[in-house]
Amino acid sequence: MQLLGKVAVITGAGSGIGQAAASLLAQQGAIVASIDRSAEEGEDTAKQIQQMGGQAMSAIADVSQPEQVKAAIDAIAQQYGRIDIVFANAGINGVWAPIDELSSEDWNQTININLNGTFYTVKYAVPYLKQQGGSIIVTASINGTRVFSNTGATAYASTKAAQVAFTKMIALELAKHRIRANVICPGAIETNIKDNTESRHLDAIKEPVEFPEGDIPLTDGGLGAAEQVAQLVLFLASDTSSHITGTEVWIDGGQSLLLG
């Protein structure tokens, strides 16, 4: 077991990539602390881990609310006495719309959850990580990092670009504390993130592009799986990647190379 005895905090662990990562890290010996704004989903993830013999707990927090994030992380640290791994994964697609139709409320909601939520998660976990070192992993996207052709995703792509810069900044700052920080950039992965996506009048502004064999070269258009992303999270969380920090890794089957 690569993570035996390590405590892993995962935001957005109630579904998709977060849930897959929680399950895999638990299989590798980690004690998983799920943070989700849905009490039911977070508890379901914790129960699934417990049923397979692992250790897990769930905490409720909206990552856009700093006091909720701090309370959740403090409770986790009090419960287990340490935090070794932080997977800042919670996020939304938000509203995708022409720039003149994107309201300030739409913009701020995406910024608050995706970017501010990442900041709060890392900020309040760092004092615990500093006690023994550890690993921070942030979920960004191919959007805003390699791909700029998803017209209308301006707010979303901006948060994802910012997450990469944020991760590189903290990687250098925290290196002396033996804390590594890396960012993953998934492409099209089979999750339920479309449930928090609102598209408005995109047909009028999109540039027409046709990919007759699909836009994911490695799979002829087939979506990636959350479990494949979880394998990358495990690698970055474990000592196998002990000399890697400040690095973004695209996991998209070549999609961003074709679409960028």
Side-chain angles (χ1 to χ4, degrees):
M1 290 189 178
Q2 299 181 58
L3 304 177
L4 188 62
K6 300 288 182 71
V7 176
V9 175
I10 302 176
T11 64
S15 62
I17 291 171
Q19 186 179 57
S23 177
L24 183 59
L25 267 57
Q27 291 173 38
Q28 290 298 317
I31 300 167
V32 172
S34 161
I35 296 179
D36 203 284
R37 63 182 178 181
S38 166
E40 183 178 355
E41 289 186 351
E43 289 172 3
D44 284 348
T45 296
K47 287 177 182 176
Q48 289 173 20
I49 291 171
Q50 291 163 357
Q51 288 170 359
M52 66 184 192
Q55 295 186 64
M57 68 171 284
S58 64
I60 303 170
D62 179 342
V63 295
S64 70
Q65 302 301 313
E67 68 284 352
Q68 293 184 26
V69 177
K70 184 178 188 304
I73 288 175
D74 287 347
I76 292 163
Q78 184 175 6
Q79 174 77 16
Y80 297 116
R82 61 189 293 155
I83 292 175
D84 303 277
I85 299 159
V86 175
F87 182 25
N89 167 72
I92 61 170
N93 273 352
V95 174
W96 291 25
I99 190 66
D100 51 338
E101 294 184 21
L102 192 66
S103 71
S104 58
E105 290 79 15
D106 298 332
W107 173 270
N108 287 332
Q109 182 188 38
T110 305
I111 297 292
N112 286 336
I113 293 175
N114 291 1
L115 182 56
N116 293 350
T118 297
F119 166 65
Y120 300 141
T121 301
V122 172
K123 171 183 171 61
Y124 294 120
V126 158
Y128 300 108
L129 289 167
K130 282 183 176 180
Q131 294 176 15
Q132 71 285 310
S135 176
I136 297 167
I137 303 152
V138 173
T139 299
S141 172
I142 61 173
N143 290 286
T145 59
R146 269 185 176 172
V147 172
F148 302 91
S149 53
N150 280 321
T151 310
T154 309
Y156 178 76
S158 295
T159 63
K160 297 301 159 180
Q163 284 177 312
V164 172
F166 172 81
T167 305
K168 289 176 181 288
M169 292 296 295
I170 63 171
L172 186 58
E173 177 183 341
L174 299 175
K176 60 179 173 290
H177 300 288
R178 301 299 181 263
I179 299 171
R180 299 180 295 106
N182 295 287
V183 58
I184 63 173
C185 301
I189 305 296
E190 193 168 0
T191 69
N192 63 356
I193 196 169
K194 288 186 177 180
D195 294 346
N196 55 49
T197 307
E198 183 179 344
S199 299
R200 299 178 188 160
H201 307 140
L202 296 181
D203 290 343
I205 60 170
K206 275 191 173 294
E207 293 294 333
V209 180
E210 184 178 355
F211 301 101
E213 297 181 9
D215 61 8
I216 305 177
L218 202 57
T219 59
D220 290 331
L223 298 179
E227 290 75 17
Q228 291 173 302
V229 184
Q231 290 285 350
L232 175 57
V233 174
L234 171 61
F235 170 68
L236 293 173
S238 73
D239 290 341
T240 309
S241 60
S242 61
H243 205 53
I244 300 175
T245 194
T247 298
E248 66 268 54
V249 182
W250 288 273
I251 177 165
D252 65 353
Q255 182 183 21
S256 60
L257 299 174
L258 182 64
L259 296 182

